[in-house]
Amino acid sequence: MEHIRTPKVEQVKLLDRFSNKSVIGTLHLTATHLIFVESNSTSAQEIWILHHHIASMEKLSLTTSGCPLLIQCRNFRLVHFVIPRERDCHDIYSSLLRLLRPVSYDELYAFSYNPKQNDQQREEGWQLIDLAAEFERMGVPCDQWQLTDVNREYKVCETYPRDLYVPITASKPIIVGSSKFRSKGRFPVLTYFYQEKKAAVCRCSQPLSGFSARCLEDEHMLQAISKANHNSRYIYVMDTRPKLNALANRAAGKGYENEDNYSNIRFQFVGIENIHVMRGSLQKLLEVVGTRSLSMTDYLVGLENSGWLRHIKAIMDAAIFLAKAVTVEGASVLVHCSDGWDRTAQVCALGSLLMDPYYRTIKGFMVLIEKDWISFGHKFADRCDQLDPDQKEVSPIFTQFLECVWQLTEQFPQAFEFSEWFLIQIHEHVHSCQFGNFLGNSQRQREVLQLKERTYSLWAHLLSEKQNYMNPVYSPSFAESHPVLEPSTQACHFKFWRNMYHQYDRSMHPRQSILKQVLTFKESNRELEGTVQALKTKLQKFGVSTSPLKPQTPPRDRSLPPRPQSLILGAPLLSRKEVQQEEDEEVFGEEAREDAPASTDGERTVEGSSATENGYGELTGSFGSKNEPAVVTLEFGVARMTC
Amino acid sequence: MELSEHIKTANVEDVTLRRPFHPALRGTLCVTSHHLLFSDRKDEASWQLLILLKNIDAIEKSVENLFGYPRAVGSSGTITIKCKDLLVLQLEIPGMEECLNIASSIEALSSLESVTEMYPFFYRPSHLTLNGPWGLSSTEQYYKQTERLWDRWRVSTLNSDYSVCPSYPSAVIMPREVDDDKLIRSARFRQGGRFPVLSYCHHRNGMVIMRSSQPLTGANKKRCKEDELLLQAVIDGSELGYIIDLRSAQQAQQARMTGGGFESKSFYSHWKRIHRHHERGKVVQESLIKLVEACSDPSHSVDRWLSKLENSKWLSHVHSALSTAGLVVECVERDGHSVLVHGSEGTDNTLLVSSLAQLILDPASRTVTGFLCLLEREWIQAGHPFQQRCAHSAYSHARLKQECPIFLLLLDCVWQVWRQFPLALEFSEALLLRLAQEVYASNYGTFLCNSEQERCAAGVKENTHCLFQSLLRPDIEEQYLNPLYEPTDLAIWPSVHPQSLQLWTGLFLRWTEYAQNMEEAREEVWSIVKEHHEQAGPDRTNNTLSTHCDTLTPFENLMDELTIL
């Protein structure tokens, strides 16, 4: 708190990013959030920005109306305040500068966040995901694969988890030898086991081969992986880097596997660019889509020049290659890049998602992230800029993974149990530092930080509001008929993910949402069924046959459950508690509820699309535009969940 | 020449048919005067493919053994058929001669010019009779139904013999205070005689959308008092109106050199002119060609695809059409002013913009019937030259003459509106896709000819069936309904940010696996909604329930308890 010089500034103007609209309100600065409350009492919009979400701030030069402050967030929100007095602006700016650069982990929000749960609940939250159980589900350990305790003390590889699965035939000396020949000691280990063909997906980092070095233990290791699979005489080694990058690494004593030294490997470059290219690409993309009155031509040219979708496709292509090699050829695959924690994580995770319907469920997707990203040491702290001020380490690698999954949900609307809001919410919290899951760079570091004792798990939180993230058209039978997804890689299927990159730009979004509507219907169908069942049992208790009472329901239950509201329709918003409250309050107001939610909601959403926002033309002011209708005011953000 | 004389080979056996995402089939191919028929001739569950020859846009043949012996054993040919609904088929035909014969028959029969030889004049399904009503509405009926018009507007039949304006319908709606003589003068002052007529009167404030063609001011700035009076009468003196000119200011200036022009500020003092540039004719047609080409090559990289998509400019056309429609709506709904829309001829972009504006403004035009009425009024009766514009589609090698997919552009824009307001339209994407197909090749007479006058002369109403009538038959209509429809009285302003507009995959990627996944998801939505309606259902559910409650008096307490559960 000592960093806050001005906790409250009044008469602050908030400018809309894409139109000439603005609202006046009060800016509050707290230890964790920057809060803007609109003064207009009818709509009273609130914006809560978590300090950790702020990526950059810019104080623009003074104008007649005040001092503009531009804040860019990691969840792609961009807010433009105009603060009347320069001094206030400066105070806010310098306070924020200090607040959003925490110097130690202890300052992160996760360590002060308290959702009013007791210790037991918190522990249960952390126990939701059990990776040992996950490997068991895949059928490991088995006659060819075993759990090794070689890394129990993080002695062989600091950035790997303690529990690792290796071929039975890989002895400790082989493992240790191989790890010495791999960058950062990240030797080949199992990440996914395709039971049907006994084929394995393994991951590692690049070999330290330089121009000619070789390592017998490493060669044995690959041999052991190959031998563990009787279905195929060879294994694929996928180097996910472009060939040129791999070649350049040889000069630094690193490089890639020489096919002459390893028997029975098929070596393949995939050509996914490195973190720096990806960072630049996203930056270009955001610049383009942030332009005001963008023309269609500039948009498409900008989209192309950013290269963003090209990179997304490259990751997808690699994952498809992996899935085909495993499921069609029955071959095991070893995936690596340079250090084996960025591109490797993307490709392994996405490949497994294509192969295994379990990962397309809500729980399974959590497991997948826990396994391939968190436990195998994707450097969340560095990539998401949690602490370290080194901007060169920041890169949207995980965002890309989420986007690839989104592209798949677009191609296969029935294959996923979750909707895009689940992905967006995960993305939100990867950067929010509100939960412990993504803090730090490796399992070891997380243990040192005692995250499980001191913070809460995101997964428990997400599961508690699971109904918000359901995909209403999810069909388990689709999973049965399509155990392996074969997405089209035709370029026209790669689309811009508006709901991610423009989540907070409400003028961009559809005014009505199919998702939301169908979700509401489905939810009410479920509830009705439940009520019918309850009635039947009660009636039976009283000895009445259920036949005269056809599956009908009491009138009250016809009212729909409260719909989630947000800037974007279909986005989940109300946290459970609020929903509960609303219901409690309205139990006796049946009639009012009967129609109210539907009609007012419809009105708001439709009317919410207004001419000024869309900016069709030159008709400004001269004829006195009529009052803007009230807009949906609730805010989709972290803040709401914290109360 | 009889149609059948074009057919040199009517029947070929052992033909192999290849379609995208389907296994190849062997069967028999037949060519008739209007159809291409393929049948796999299996006894049970035989499968047939029937294609209207008019649907065929281009045909490509490759014959093996072309210079070999005539009728050599094993010679064969492949015909690639590219349809106007963007389907591409391949037929492998044994026998070189047969192959060439089939190809030339198709070529001749798919490009018939005479309207009365076209299939709608021969289509006689057993369940339809020719004497039924043709079309959904007329100007007179529309006027009768729209009470808000009665005060200031009247129906004029000055064009009953189509002499004032050949492309207008026989009746038009005009301001009461302007007599027919003035209209005739105004018509002489407008290209093609298309004088300003009422297109829509807003239900909230009585403001109107008018449409016309450009005024013929010419290089020496001619004026026409009657035309000025007519427009003055539209806005009723005190107010102010907007003229949305669908050309850039520069283009409008240039039009004066060829006798056209624009309404000058000094003569139309109560009208404010806004120029919006819209591409037309050949440019739009080429956009479609480029877009379809880009969509049909699966090997493109993302960069190449985006650059081709950009290069086609199709989405730019969608963008400008929706933006201008939004502008019109802004004038009418938000600012409360009347609008006159025109470009040059007033038969293409003018109709596009005026009908889109109505869809955004008017809840009545968002029902199935309302939308079809809108199309009938604003496109068919208003004289969009369908026959010229839709003679060929994206694949044709024929030299372009008057082709232009403006109607397809309208459907695309409507689809974009539906994407953004998926609950506001009573019809679904399926209706748009059906219309996109029917406009190029149809069993029905609705889209034949270029104007009402031509349709009268050809006897379309007497000799063909009406598409719209048949779409509205309850059993048919059901497949075009939007299960999520919730009527709203409000204007539905679409967002026109480029990020909010999308490629219409349902049309342009129609024949891919992707479309199938979407179809399955849609069915799932349908079933959820149906289940919902059955359970929570119509109001009578409550009534029956309350009667049950009466009989269950001893359990009233129980019921109360349950309601609180």
Side-chain angles (χ1 to χ4, degrees), chain A residues 75-241:
Chain A
N75 53 9
F76 311 116
R77 183 204 281 275
L78 196 138
V79 281
H80 190 164
F81 293 120
V82 180
I83 298 170
R85 286 171 52 209
E86 213 260 328
R87 210 201 128 91
D88 289 335
C89 183
H90 182 76
D91 282 350
I92 295 271
Y93 178 77
S94 43
S95 308
L96 275 177
L97 259 193
R98 174 61 191 84
L99 286 168
L100 61 87
R101 287 266 165 265
V103 285
S104 76
Y105 276 103
D106 292 349
E107 287 182 33
L108 293 181
Y109 185 34
F111 294 100
S112 58
Y113 169 68
N114 184 357
K116 299 202 178 74
Q117 288 179 359
N118 59 33
D119 282 354
Q120 194 197 341
Q121 280 169 313
R122 190 184 58 209
E123 268 166 42
E124 278 169 12
W126 282 111
Q127 283 156 6
L128 273 171
I129 308 289
D130 177 2
L131 287 186
E134 168 57 12
F135 278 96
E136 217 163 280
R137 186 192 67 88
M138 295 178 207
V140 178
C142 60
D143 57 342
Q144 296 293 338
W145 293 87
Q146 65 176 1
L147 179 68
T148 170
D149 58 2
V150 67
N151 203 35
R152 272 286 140 82
E153 311 294 324
Y154 297 113
K155 282 204 175 116
V156 179
C157 176
E158 270 203 310
T159 56
Y160 267 170
R162 289 176 190 270
D163 292 345
L164 294 168
Y165 295 83
V166 291
I168 292 238
T169 50
S171 63
K172 253 180 201 169
I174 289 182
I175 293 174
V176 173
S178 165
S179 82
K180 290 197 170 127
F181 187 63
R182 294 276 169 181
S183 195
K184 306 274 194 314
R186 295 171 67 92
F187 60 96
V189 293
L190 181 81
T191 176
Y192 180 70
F193 189 65
Y194 188 66
Q195 230 172 337
E196 201 182 313
K197 303 227 162 147
K198 306 275 179 233
V201 178
C202 297
R203 52 185 290 173
C204 62
S205 61
Q206 63 183 338
L208 305 174
S209 53
F211 289 100
S212 59
R214 54 187 291 189
C215 165
L216 283 178
E217 287 92 341
D218 194 61
E219 287 161 28
H220 274 135
M221 187 75 194
L222 265 67
Q223 188 69 21
I225 294 173
S226 175
K227 285 269 162 62
N229 177 2
H230 303 303
N231 283 324
S232 173
R233 288 194 356 267
Y234 50 86
I235 64 167
Y236 280 102
V237 175
M238 278 174 79
D239 189 329
T240 53
R241 299 168 293 182

Side-chain angles (χ1 to χ4, degrees), chain B residues 370-470:
Chain B
F371 181 63
L372 295 179
C373 282
L374 177 73
L375 296 183
E376 190 172 61
R377 249 185 320 118
E378 287 296 283
W379 289 81
I380 293 164
Q381 292 166 358
H384 177 67
F386 279 103
Q387 196 183 341
Q388 291 173 356
R389 298 291 183 258
C390 301
H392 291 105
S393 174
Y395 291 120
S396 175
H397 305 299
R399 214 164 58 82
L400 294 178
K401 286 173 278 186
Q402 301 272 343
E403 287 83 355
C404 178
I406 286 287
F407 188 73
L408 219 51
L409 191 58
L410 169 86
L411 296 178
D412 196 332
C413 292
V414 176
W415 180 81
Q416 306 282 354
V417 173
W418 169 75
R419 284 279 307 181
Q420 298 191 25
F421 297 91
L423 316 184
L425 305 183
E426 194 196 13
F427 49 89
S428 67
E429 184 181 8
L431 180 69
L432 301 177
L433 290 172
R434 171 82 190 262
L435 289 169
Q437 188 165 13
E438 295 283 343
V439 75
Y440 280 99
S442 176
N443 292 342
Y444 300 92
T446 300
F447 291 117
L448 290 180
C449 302
N450 296 308
S451 66
E452 196 170 290
Q453 182 183 25
E454 284 184 27
R455 274 185 286 273
C456 261
V460 167
K461 282 189 189 182
E462 295 75 29
N463 297 303
T464 72
H465 294 286
C466 171
L467 171 68
F468 294 164
Q469 286 285 355
S470 98

